[in-house]
């Protein structure tokens, strides 16, 4: 469906996108994940036809899109701020792409109702958009994007402006909606949890280059480099003696541990002293000083855990990955 071959986009001296090749099958959702400034928006804009390629090609259903203007590509774009028409009702916002395509009145109304149902806002048609919450506005923006019946939906940080709990819920909803509608989509985000929730495939982008691409679960479990591991939420990196004493065996390279790899349990094999304890909604995030190892991130259940307390940590190997030695990601 979508094929990017050796795509490069330069702005003067800056190489924003550096020789990126990616492909995406019909009905799949690809997340381009990376820190701010890594070039992911530029890549998305290049696919949309909003940036000129310095080199390489973007093909859609076998056709090279060079010279094809944005509005002729059959793609829909959705941004962080939904860019709704403030003076128009919710229904008129969603109906806009249908009008452009010449869909007649009654059919248009039915389609708007269907889309409102799909995004979880039945009965909202007559509301003015400024009276909606941020999350509701993004749902309307999504409905409007889907109304265009796009071959490809391009999402640029669609949930970034929302607060965290809403972002999590909406990410789950967005995943369901994209699957239900069979929409092919590219999502750009700096949030690894969001990428994991929403996408089938993940391309990790650092400094203009795609450094790893694959099924989301594979990238999650087997990060290709230390920089990728660091960016997708592995917090503790151990090598040599330190790795051996925590894992109970020597490792080749570096062991990368997610926070949940080490959990406070009475009979844990690793002992240390709590340096920092931060209670979150359903756990306690700990930094624990382990003699001969250094500081490791760990998870506790007891909100009463205190700095200075001695704890024992048990290891969950499913949250450990081996990565080659290398530099962590620059953030
Ligand atoms: P991201 O979306 O990952 O935050 P961007 O694609 O926005 O990154 O930017 C990548 C790099 O390209 C940055 O260094 C940014 O400053 C630069 N850049 C983006 N757009 C322009 C532009 N129109 N002119 C000059 N430099 C740009």
């Amino acid at each position: 469906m979508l094929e990017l071959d050796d795509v490069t986009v330069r702005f003067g001296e800056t190489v924003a996108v550096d020789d990126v090749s990616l492909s995406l099958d019909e009905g799949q959702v690809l997340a381009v994940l990376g820190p701010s400034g890594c070039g992911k928006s530029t890549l998305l804009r290049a696919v949309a036809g909003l940036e000129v390629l310095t080199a390489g090609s973007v093909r859609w259903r076998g056709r090279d899109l060079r010279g094809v203007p944005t509005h002729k590509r059959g793609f829909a774009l959705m941004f962080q701020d939904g860019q709704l028409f403030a003076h128009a009702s919710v229904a008129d916002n969603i109906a806009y792409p249908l009008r452009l395509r010449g869909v007649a009145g009654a059919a248009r109304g039915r389609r708007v109702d269907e889309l409102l149902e799909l995004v979880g806002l039945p009965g909202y048609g007559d509301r003015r958009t400024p009276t909606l919450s941020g999350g509701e506005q993004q749902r309307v923006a999504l409905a409007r994007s889907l109304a265009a019946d796009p071959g490809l939906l391009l999402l640029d940080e669609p949930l970034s402006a929302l607060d965290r709990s809403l972002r999590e819920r909406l990410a789950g909803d967005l995943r369901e909606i994209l699957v239900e509608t069979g929409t092919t989509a590219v999502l750009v985000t700096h949030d690894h949890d969001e990428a994991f929730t929403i996408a089938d495939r993940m391309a990790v982008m650092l400094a203009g280059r795609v450094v790893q691409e694959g099924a989301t679960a594979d990238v999650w479990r087997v990060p290709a480099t230390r920089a990728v591991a660091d960016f997708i939420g592995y917090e503790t990196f151990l090598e040599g003696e330190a790795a051996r004493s925590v894992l109970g065996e020597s490792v080749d390279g570096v062991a990368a541990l997610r926070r949940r790899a080490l959990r406070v349990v009475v009979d844990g094999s690793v002992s240390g002293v709590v340096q920092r304890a931060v209670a979150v909604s359903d756990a306690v995030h700990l930094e624990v000083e382990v003699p001969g190892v250094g500081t490791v991130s760990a998870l506790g259940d007891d909100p009463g855990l205190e700095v200075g307390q001695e704890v024992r940590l048990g290891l969950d190997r499913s949250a450990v990955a081996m990565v080659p030695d290398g530099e962590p990601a620059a953030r």
Side-chain angles (χ1 to χ4, degrees):
M1 290 283 282
L2 180 68
E3 280 172 276
L4 276 61
D5 279 317
D6 304 328
V7 170
T8 297
V9 180
R10 285 175 185 268
F11 300 107
E13 292 290 288
T14 309
V15 186
V17 176
D18 190 2
D19 206 16
V20 167
S21 297
L22 287 171
S23 64
L24 185 63
D25 287 339
E26 178 143 24
Q28 286 206 314
V29 181
L30 169 73
V32 178
L33 173 71
S36 175
C38 74
K40 54 196 186 302
S41 294
T42 303
L43 182 65
L44 198 77
R45 291 169 56 81
V47 172
L50 295 166
E51 300 291 354
V52 177
L53 307 191
T54 309
S57 66
V58 175
R59 272 180 300 164
W60 173 248
R61 293 182 173 146
R63 176 185 177 207
D64 192 329
L65 294 181
R66 180 173 299 271
V68 179
T70 300
H71 66 278
K72 294 257 173 72
R73 294 192 176 194
F75 302 164
L77 273 146
M78 181 179 158
F79 299 97
Q80 181 171 339
D81 56 332
Q83 303 187 338
L84 299 173
F85 308 121
H87 54 276
S89 68
V90 165
D92 285 343
N93 265 280
I94 299 172
Y96 181 72
L98 299 170
R99 274 180 202 279
L100 287 184
R101 284 163 58 212
V103 177
R108 208 163 60 216
R110 276 197 303 278
R111 184 71 184 129
V112 167
D113 287 345
E114 272 172 26
L115 287 160
L116 280 171
E117 187 82 35
L118 179 72
V119 298
L121 296 175
Y124 274 60
D126 292 334
R127 292 275 292 271
R128 303 259 134 200
T129 56
T131 71
L132 303 177
S133 71
E136 288 166 347
Q137 292 193 20
Q138 287 308 76
R139 287 175 191 271
V140 173
L142 177 63
R144 187 178 62 180
S145 299
L146 294 173
D149 209 6
L152 179 66
L153 177 60
L154 302 172
L155 303 154
D156 193 350
E157 301 271 7
L159 308 179
S160 294
L162 308 174
D163 62 57
R164 197 168 54 148
S165 60
L166 187 58
R167 216 160 60 212
E168 275 176 21
R169 198 167 69 235
L170 219 51
D173 289 354
L174 182 54
R175 167 78 194 163
E176 281 173 20
I177 291 166
L178 294 177
V179 170
E180 190 178 328
T181 52
T183 302
T184 312
V186 180
L187 162 81
V188 156
T189 179
H190 67 279
D191 183 323
H192 55 80
D193 286 321
E194 199 171 292
F196 186 68
T197 303
I198 299 171
D200 304 291
R201 301 188 69 78
M202 203 188 274
V204 183
M205 203 168 168
L206 299 172
R209 305 190 76 107
V210 168
V211 288
Q212 188 173 5
E213 197 269 334
T216 304
D218 292 344
V219 176
W220 204 247
R221 269 198 313 268
V222 192
T225 67
R226 179 166 175 166
V228 171
D230 189 27
F231 194 71
I232 63 174
Y234 287 81
E235 298 192 34
T236 304
F237 295 89
L238 302 172
E239 48 196 317
E241 243 342 277
R244 203 153 80 98
S245 87
V246 170
L247 302 180
E249 62 184 17
S250 14
V251 302
D252 197 14
V254 178
L257 282 71
R258 290 193 179 278
R259 180 181 293 282
R260 68 174 178 81
L262 292 170
R263 186 182 274 276
V264 175
V265 284
V266 281
D267 58 350
S269 55
V270 177
S271 59
V273 177
V274 175
Q275 301 292 313
R276 191 155 186 266
V278 178
V280 294
S281 58
D282 55 357
V284 188
H285 288 182
L286 302 169
E287 302 304 319
V288 177
E289 177 69 22
V290 178
V293 170
T295 307
V296 299
S297 300
L299 209 54
D301 296 318
D302 177 4
L305 282 162
E306 283 177 2
V307 172
Q309 194 173 334
E310 197 157 319
V311 289
R312 300 192 75 85
L313 304 172
L315 180 72
D316 177 353
R317 285 199 161 265
S318 73
V320 180
M322 296 304 159
V323 294
D325 200 359
E327 290 302 307
R331 291 180 193 236

